[in-house]
């Protein structure tokens, strides 16, 4: 196996994990609200009203 190919894949995986963790820790900006979409009937969309929790 090529050492540089394994090293390159390792670097890419490390960058992906680091960017995911940094993005997860970033707070939402003030004034940012939940996206409520009622424009389509796509039930698979996570923004569809059918997926919203009702209390």
């Amino acid at each position: 196996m090529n050492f540089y190919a394994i090293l390159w894949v390792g670097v890419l995986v490390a960058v992906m994990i680091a960017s995911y963790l940094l993005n997860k820790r970033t707070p939402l900006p003030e004034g940012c609200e939940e996206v409520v979409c009622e424009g389509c009937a796509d039930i698979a969309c996570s923004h569809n009203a059918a997926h919203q929790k009702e209390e």
Side-chain angles (χ1 to χ4, degrees):
M1 285 190 199
N2 192 354
F3 174 73
Y4 292 113
I6 295 171
L7 181 66
W8 183 243
V9 170
V11 167
L12 289 176
V13 169
V15 167
M16 184 185 77
I17 291 171
S19 64
Y20 174 79
L21 292 175
L22 289 173
N23 187 39
K24 190 175 179 180
R25 293 181 183 167
T26 304
L28 288 175
E30 292 182 18
C32 184
E33 52 195 44
E34 292 279 331
V35 175
V36 178
C37 178
E38 297 176 11
C40 68
D42 185 8
I43 197 71
C45 179
S46 64
H47 297 294
N48 191 299
H51 296 287
Q52 304 301 324
K53 294 181 181 178
E54 295 181 17
E55 295 182 19

